[in-house]
Amino acid sequence: MDKLDEIRTRLDACDDEIIELLTRRMGIIEEIIEYKKESGTPILQPKQEQKQEEALEQKLDGQRYEEEIKDIFRYIVSNSKRIQAKNLFNHNILLIGFMGCGKSTVSSFLCKMLAMDSVEMDAVIVEREGMSINDIFAKYGEEYFRNLETNLLIELSHKNQLVVSCGGGAALREINVQHMKNNGRVVLLTATPETILERVKDNDDRPLLRGNKNVEFIGDLMEKRRAKYEAAADIVISTDHKSVLEICQEMIGKLMEMDA
Ligand code: S3P
């Protein structure tokens, strides 16, 4: 065996050890999630995550391959989160509710915590059409926009473990709700008209609220939509005066209950 072969043999043995260690590590991740589920411990623990990151920083501080190893750990942690998500949900999560109820905020937080992929329906439509929601409404009308929503929901129902932030009107069509439920749980986020106004007041992306940013209009439209939203929902979460962590925690708890 020449020198290079001998070195490569050692590298190979090293890879075997890494595989063994990663398998063990992922097994431990499964153990943690199982324990949390059984004991009712909150699934999302951002503080613990922070602590772990700091501990890793310390361990690697001044290490010869500090940057490279940190980079690898980012992947390890992200994949651990994926394992947790897979253990928790075998379906999509669709967030519905009135404009400004917090769908996008909740979606991005949950996706960050559980390394799930997120889909912002409005953003996908804007990108594909190459124009803003306001322009789509103005140029082709609301019905055209609603059809785009329906087609996108059909497409998403063939995927799994996505968090979908639905446009505020998406759940109003019966057929859309059927596509949502095809491979997903529907979560309705609610808020009072006052909270909604506070959240949307500085944003001009919503054609239906243009010139209508007041509690009366929001309250009326919300009331008109309430029955359809509620009929579509598998679970309902009120978001008033709650942090995004609290909302996500409550949602995961209710989704787990549903699957139990
Ligand atoms: C709409 C809500 C908007 C967007 C469009 C119509 C609605 O989405 O799809 O302006 O009918 O409620 P957000 O709820 O994400 O703002």
Side-chain angles (χ1 to χ4, degrees):
M1 206 197 309
D2 70 9
K3 178 75 180 164
L4 193 55
D5 280 339
E6 183 271 324
I7 298 173
R8 284 179 177 149
T9 308
R10 277 190 284 129
L11 189 65
D12 207 39
C14 206
D15 287 348
D16 289 344
E17 274 183 55
I18 292 174
I19 293 172
E20 202 181 304
L21 275 177
L22 285 177
T23 310
R24 211 163 85 204
R25 194 182 194 284
M26 289 172 183
I28 294 174
I29 295 293
E30 299 258 27
E31 244 182 85
I32 291 177
I33 190 78
E34 284 302 337
Y35 177 81
K36 281 184 182 171
K37 275 160 72 174
E38 275 164 28
S39 62
T41 310
I43 303 288
L44 305 180
Q45 300 195 349
K47 280 205 185 117
Q48 167 63 21
E49 212 173 281
Q50 177 83 26
K51 254 201 237 163
Q52 233 169 306
E53 261 172 41
E54 284 163 11
L56 191 67
E57 287 273 341
Q58 272 195 355
K59 284 184 210 174
L60 290 173
D61 188 35
Q63 227 264 11
R64 181 165 176 191
Y65 304 109
E66 182 175 344
E67 277 316 305
E68 291 79 3
I69 296 180
K70 269 191 199 160
D71 188 46
I72 292 167
F73 264 97
R74 276 193 278 276
Y75 283 96
I76 292 179
V77 170
S78 167
N79 280 289
S80 298
K81 290 178 175 186
R82 268 175 213 277
I83 290 172
Q84 285 190 294
K86 272 193 205 159
N87 184 301
L88 289 170
F89 316 115
N90 187 27
H91 49 70
N92 293 330
I93 297 173
L94 296 111
L95 304 174
I96 65 163
F98 202 80
M99 297 165 261
C101 67
K103 290 164 292 188
S104 306
T105 310
V106 167
S107 166
S108 47
F109 184 82
L110 189 68
C111 288
K112 184 165 163 264
M113 293 304 292
L114 290 175
M116 293 172 84
D117 291 323
S118 68
V119 176
E120 185 80 30
M121 283 184 64
D122 284 350
V124 172
I125 290 174
V126 165
E127 203 198 319
R128 288 185 182 172
E129 294 296 297
M131 63 177 100
S132 70
I133 305 277
N134 281 321
D135 289 346
I136 299 173
F137 269 62
K139 192 161 177 199
Y140 301 113
E142 182 169 347
E143 187 66 12
Y144 175 85
F145 174 78
R146 298 298 176 202
N147 291 337
L148 295 176
E149 288 187 311
T150 302
N151 291 337
L152 181 54
L153 282 167
I154 293 173
E155 196 180 315
L156 298 176
S157 69
H158 299 301
K159 306 199 173 178
N160 207 9
Q161 272 141 2
L162 294 176
V163 181
V164 183
S165 176
C166 299
L172 302 175
R173 273 192 184 180
E174 174 67 37
I175 185 73
N176 287 359
V177 177
Q178 283 172 29
H179 294 308
M180 289 179 191
K181 297 210 180 204
N182 228 349
N183 186 32
R185 302 276 185 271
V186 180
V187 179
L188 170 62
L189 302 179
T190 66
T192 62
E194 288 76 9
T195 304
I196 299 281
L197 180 62
E198 190 52 37
R199 291 178 186 161
V200 303
K201 68 178 193 303
D202 299 323
N203 179 297
D204 210 24
D205 295 341
R206 297 170 171 106
L208 300 179
L209 293 184
R210 279 197 154 173
N212 293 319
K213 283 196 196 126
N214 58 73
V215 167
E216 293 69 34
F217 179 87
I218 292 172
D220 281 353
L221 186 56
M222 203 185 258
E223 220 24 69
K224 282 188 194 128
R225 291 180 168 191
R226 179 195 299 278
K228 283 193 173 153
Y229 280 152
E230 287 177 356
D234 291 311
I235 63 177
V236 183
I237 297 174
S238 138
T239 65
D240 293 292
H241 315 298
K242 286 180 193 159
S243 70
V244 65
L245 174 62
E246 286 168 328
I247 296 167
C248 287
Q249 212 75 263
E250 189 178 330
M251 178 166 89
I252 293 173
K254 287 185 173 170
L255 287 169
M256 278 165 39
E257 261 172 43
M258 235 189 114
D259 287 335

